[in-house]
């Protein structure tokens, strides 16, 4: 019995979930804000409808009541045929049938191919697309091989793989082609030895056959000829470089974007098989060689060589993933065990890619390719390109091995050839737009669905053709059920003639603080607000219709607790109730203090609880943590009242007495007064906000005045000593200068005496010489 009840409960839960998923349990709600027209209504929400029925609104009732859900409008008396509510429109423009097999024509694997959607903002539309894998669909396989020195043994095995590769592809399709390319790395330091001899022969000396260093070389375009593949691959030899990572991403980028050189066919499954035993360089690594120009994702293959290898940085993983997806190419990474984890992480960032582990000599590469192809082709992933702003897409796969519902893609796995699968695609536009397009397509396959999206944001009303209508006092026409007044007339029925008055200033008188006219709750009629009715039937009121009696605080789910009435957003309580929501009876028991006061005179007792003034703390407003220190704020009054000095201002709220010892238990203060004396006093705060009693010690602690005579004598003595020292210093300087001049004079004097001696000696010499000559001339 319990088992049957449990199963029944589970079935009920499952049924509710299904109903909820299909929207059957979703309540239609119109969340309108400011609505002045049918267009405003339609844009307010996906379930908002507009009643264009004449005389639908009562006198003074706001026109926004015309905007609501269809059910509520009909309940208010609007006829169904008078309700304007645009719906989604879905049109299939192109729907070619799915192909069963490939017959040398463009096969169709996804249908439809082109649709038009016209949606209401916020209202989703779900449509279905179908997919079938075509039997015998062509395959283009580009074998991209690492020819660095460590792949020497693998190259020899690959030279003999042509027959096996073609045989494996023939099992898949009769329309198979194979191409071949090779890569090493950029031929600059630090990736490759740039010695001239090493560039020409980068291999070991023991290698008889070695080709010059290169980045990427396209060897063979797509061909169905086994002998041509074998001949071209047999002409390849090993090369070499310095570091371990290779230029794999450079080579894959060129193979992806150089479609005309590679020979990719328009209708084919495109595969790149990358075989390597090393990691890869990526964007930013080029800086090591001074290569700063980013990869431009363009084809630069001339004479089968990548010419921009040494001028352009490696591509980023994101750039490569974008180009592979754009060109419907699915990579298969056939790598050795040592780098398996690296390429598995890379595969996570590149949609529709697989990783397989090569044996040490690459003998298992054919089986690896076959396994990877089966995995890729049997997994159908449908996704979209960039979406227009405010557009959402959700994919719901309908197949045996369906992936989860998601907003990025839909996945069906283990899809067999010829099997038809479907995807439900839900599109939602959250804003108004015109003729925006996006595409939906399966990854790795050329087929696509083009979705052209517009929105239905305008009302198509059946308005009378009359330029003037009786309902509008013959001063205006009918637009979606409401009056559009002629110039010079305003009002719900164009009844107000503004004459020569400025309409702008007339309407400004209906605005509070330059805000919304009549707060959006009434009509400005001849410069005065005519307030509308509320949704509950009462009316807005106030000069600017700013008040209503429905939005006061609730208590126990009752307006004003059921103990008062709401007036302009404030509860007016019936005796003996009080509180913001009239939620309690008047009582002051919880607010009474020990001295029989209420909240110590520093707050109000509301709902038997103290509502303290700012700064004071509950429960009884005794302490004020944020207030200034009274020891400082009351110092002037204490000095004035106790000692008759200082400033006496606003001291009437302080009662004081001079004491020898303190008797009260208030706060003890010690402050310095205006005369420099220390005053000790105690303050006790009385009932009220600024009332104190004070006890002041009679004796002040005043420092002794300084002795004038010693200070003067000391000052004079100090000045005298300083003066004497200055005189002595000046005398010393003068003496040193005189001594220096005297020594200079003595030196000059000595020099003058020596000059006199020299002169005397010279004169004596001439005298003696003259005498000798005279003696010689006289006769003996």
């Amino acid at each position: 019995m319990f088992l049957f009840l449990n199963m029944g409960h589970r079935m009920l839960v499952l049924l509710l979930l299904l109903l909820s998923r299909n929207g059957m349990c979703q309540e239609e709600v119109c969340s309108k804000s400011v609505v002045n027209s049918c267009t405003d209504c339609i844009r307010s929400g996906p379930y908002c409808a507009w009643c264009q029925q004449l005389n639908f609104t009562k006198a003074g009732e706001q026109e926004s009541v015309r905007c609501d859900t269809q059910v509520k409008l009909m309940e208010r008396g609007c006829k169904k045929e008078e309700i304007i509510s645009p719906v989604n429109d879905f049109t299939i423009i192109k729907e070619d049938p799915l192909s069963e097999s490939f017959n040398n024509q463009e096969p169709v694997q996804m249908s439809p191919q082109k649709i038009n959607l016209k949606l209401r903002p916020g209202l989703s539309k779900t449509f279905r697309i179908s997919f079938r894998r075509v039997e015998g669909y062509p395959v283009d396989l580009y074998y991209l091989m690492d020819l660095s020195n460590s792949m020497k043994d693998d190259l020899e095995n690959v030279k003999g793989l042509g027959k096996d590769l073609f045989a494996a592809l023939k099992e898949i399709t009769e329309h198979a082609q194979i191409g071949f390319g090779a890569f090493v790395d950029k031929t600059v330091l630090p990736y490759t030895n740039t010695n001239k001899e090493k560039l020409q022969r980068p291999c070991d000396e023991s290698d008889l056959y070695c080709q010059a260093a290169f980045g990427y070389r396209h060897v063979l375009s797509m061909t169905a000829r086994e002998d041509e593949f074998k001949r071209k691959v047999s002409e390849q030899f090993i090369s070499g470089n310095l570091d371990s990572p290779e230029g794999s991403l450079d080579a894959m980028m060129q193979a992806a974007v150089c479609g005309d050189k590679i020979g990719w066919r328009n209708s084919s499954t495109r595969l790149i098989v990358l075989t390597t035993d090393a990691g890869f360089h990526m964007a930013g690594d080029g800086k090591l060689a001074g290569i700063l120009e980013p990869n431009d994702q363009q084809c630069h293959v001339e004479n089968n060589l990548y010419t921009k290898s040494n001028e352009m940085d490696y591509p980023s993983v994101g750039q490569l993933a974008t180009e592979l997806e754009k060109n419907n190419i699915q990579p298969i990474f056939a790598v050795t065990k040592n780098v398996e984890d690296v390429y598995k992480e890379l595969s996570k960032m590149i949609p529709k890619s697989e990783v397989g582990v090569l044996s040490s000599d690459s003998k298992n590469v054919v089986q690896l390719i076959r396994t990877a192809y089966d995995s890729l082709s049997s997994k159908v992933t449908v996704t979209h390109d960039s979406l227009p702003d405010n557009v959402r897409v959700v994919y719901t796969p309908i197949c045996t091995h369906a992936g989860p519902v998601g907003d990025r893609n839909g996945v069906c796995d283990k899809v067999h050839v010829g099997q038809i699968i479907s995807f439900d695609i839900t599109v939602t536009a959250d804003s108004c737009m015109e003729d925006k397009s996006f595409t939906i397509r399966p990854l790795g396959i050329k087929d696509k669905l083009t979705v052209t999206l517009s929105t239905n944001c305008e009302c198509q009303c059946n308005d009378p053709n009359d330029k003037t209508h009786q309902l509008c006092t013959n001063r205006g026409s009918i637009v979606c059920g409401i009056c559009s007044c002629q110039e010079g007339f305003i009002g719900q029925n164009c009844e107000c003639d503004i004459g020569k008055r400025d309409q702008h200033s007339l309407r400004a008188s209906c605005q509070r603080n330059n805000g919304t006219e009549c707060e959006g709750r009434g009509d400005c009629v001849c410069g005065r607000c005519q307030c509308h009715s509320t949704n509950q039937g009462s009316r807005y009121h106030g000069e600017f219709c700013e008040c209503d009696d429905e939005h006061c605080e609730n208590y126990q789910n009752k307006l004003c607790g059921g103990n008062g009435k709401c007036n302009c957003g404030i509860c007016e309580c019936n005796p003996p109730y009080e509180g913001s929501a009239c939620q309690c009876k008047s009582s002051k028991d919880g607010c009474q203090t020990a001295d029989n006061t209420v909240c110590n005179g520093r707050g109000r007792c509301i709902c038997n609880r103290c509502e303290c003034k700012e700064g004071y703390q509950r429960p009884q407003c005794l302490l004020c943590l944020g207030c200034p220190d009274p020891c400082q704020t009351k110092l002037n009054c204490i000095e004035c009242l106790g000692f008759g000095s200082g400033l006496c201002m606003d001291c009437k709220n302080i009662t004081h007495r001079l004491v020898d010892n303190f008797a009260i238990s208030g706060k003890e203060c010690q402050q310095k007064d205006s005369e420099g004396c220390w005053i000790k006093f105690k303050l006790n705060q009385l009932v009220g906000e600024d009332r104190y009693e004070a006890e002041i010690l009679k004796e002040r602690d005043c420092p002794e005045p300084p002795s004038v005579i010693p200070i003067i004598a000391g000052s004079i003595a100090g000045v005298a000593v300083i003066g004497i020292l200055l005189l002595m210093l000046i005398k010393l300087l003068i003496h040193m200068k005189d001594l220096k001049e005297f020594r200079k004079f003595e030196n000059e004097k000595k020099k003058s005496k020596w000059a006199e001696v020299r002169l005397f000696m010279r004169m004596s010499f001439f005298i003696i010489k003259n005498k000798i000559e005279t003696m010689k001339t006289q006769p003996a």
Side-chain angles (χ1 to χ4, degrees), residues 111 146 173 190 355 455 641 660 693 701 741:
S111 186
D146 175 6
T173 176
V355 179
T455 51
L641 296 172
D660 294 319
E693 65 171 337
D701 184 9
E741 291 294 330

Side-chain angles (χ1 to χ4, degrees), residues 147-149 197-198 200-212 237-241:
L147 288 187
S148 60
N149 196 46
E197 293 181 359
K198 278 294 185 180
Q200 293 300 317
R201 189 176 177 80
C203 313
D204 296 337
E205 294 182 0
S206 58
D207 292 322
L208 297 178
Y209 301 101
C210 178
Q211 63 175 315
F237 299 106
I238 214 70
S239 186
N241 62 327

Side-chain angles (χ1 to χ4, degrees), residues 741-757:
E741 291 294 330
F742 177 74
R743 288 175 179 171
K744 184 177 180 181
F745 171 74
E746 287 293 328
N747 290 334
E748 294 294 332
K749 185 177 179 182
K750 288 178 181 179
K751 290 179 180 178
S752 63
K753 285 182 179 182
W754 173 247
E756 290 175 0
V757 172

Side-chain angles (χ1 to χ4, degrees), residues 233-487:
V233 175
S234 63
E235 294 173 357
Q236 300 306 305
F237 299 106
I238 214 70
S239 186
N241 62 327
L242 291 176
D243 63 342
S244 177
E246 314 295 4
S248 314
L249 302 194
D250 258 349
M252 290 184 70
M253 175 63 77
Q254 292 303 302
V257 299
C258 297
D260 56 336
K261 300 182 185 299
I262 303 300
W264 299 114
R265 288 175 289 184
N266 288 332
S267 300
S268 66
T269 299
R270 301 177 178 182
L271 304 175
I272 290 181
V273 178
L274 180 83
T275 58
T276 183
D277 62 350
F280 51 87
H281 285 296
M282 54 185 171
D285 288 354
K287 293 180 180 179
L288 295 173
I291 301 174
L292 304 179
E293 184 179 351
N295 195 286
D296 63 1
Q297 299 170 244
Q298 300 296 319
C299 179
H300 298 288
V301 173
E302 296 178 11
N303 297 323
N304 292 333
L305 276 176
Y306 177 31
T307 57
K308 295 284 186 179
S309 178
N310 297 342
E311 301 173 23
M312 209 170 277
D313 196 6
Y314 301 96
S316 67
V317 175
Q319 286 178 312
L320 179 61
T322 299
E323 291 302 325
L324 290 173
E325 184 176 346
K326 178 180 176 182
N327 292 283
N328 299 317
I329 297 173
Q330 304 173 62
I332 299 173
F333 300 109
V335 299
T336 52
K337 185 68 176 177
N338 61 309
V339 291
E340 178 187 8
D341 293 339
V342 173
Y343 281 89
K344 280 187 175 180
E345 291 299 317
L346 176 62
S347 178
K348 291 178 183 178
M349 293 182 278
I350 298 180
K352 293 289 283 184
S353 62
E354 286 290 327
V355 179
V357 179
L358 281 172
S359 59
S360 58
D361 54 5
S362 298
K363 286 185 177 179
N364 66 332
V365 68
V366 174
Q367 182 58 40
L368 188 152
I369 293 172
R370 180 60 191 263
T371 303
Y373 171 80
D374 289 341
S375 177
L376 287 172
S377 60
S378 65
K379 184 177 182 179
V380 179
T381 302
V382 176
T383 187
H384 53 261
D385 59 4
S386 58
L387 295 173
D389 293 338
N390 300 316
V391 173
R392 294 175 283 129
V393 177
V394 175
Y395 298 89
T396 305
I398 303 172
C399 52
T400 306
H401 302 280
V405 175
D407 58 358
R408 298 186 64 181
N409 56 45
V411 178
C412 280
D413 205 356
K414 300 179 181 178
V415 179
H416 305 298
V417 173
Q419 179 184 353
I420 297 179
I421 58 172
S422 301
F423 296 88
D424 277 348
I425 300 177
T426 303
V427 180
T428 310
D430 293 323
S431 63
C432 297
M433 63 189 67
E434 283 294 330
D435 295 331
K436 301 291 184 180
S437 297
F438 62 95
T439 58
I440 296 173
R441 61 189 181 86
L443 290 179
I445 296 174
K446 186 182 178 183
D447 297 70
K448 66 179 180 180
L449 165 66
T450 301
V451 180
T452 302
L453 177 63
S454 298
T455 51
N456 211 341
C457 292
E458 304 296 331
C459 291
Q460 302 295 329
C461 298
N462 299 319
D463 298 322
N465 295 325
D466 302 337
K467 292 183 178 180
T468 59
H469 197 276
Q470 184 178 358
L471 181 67
C472 304
T473 327
N474 294 319
R475 296 170 174 173
S477 58
I478 297 294
V479 178
C480 291
I482 61 177
C483 288
S484 175
C485 301
Q486 296 175 352
E487 187 176 356

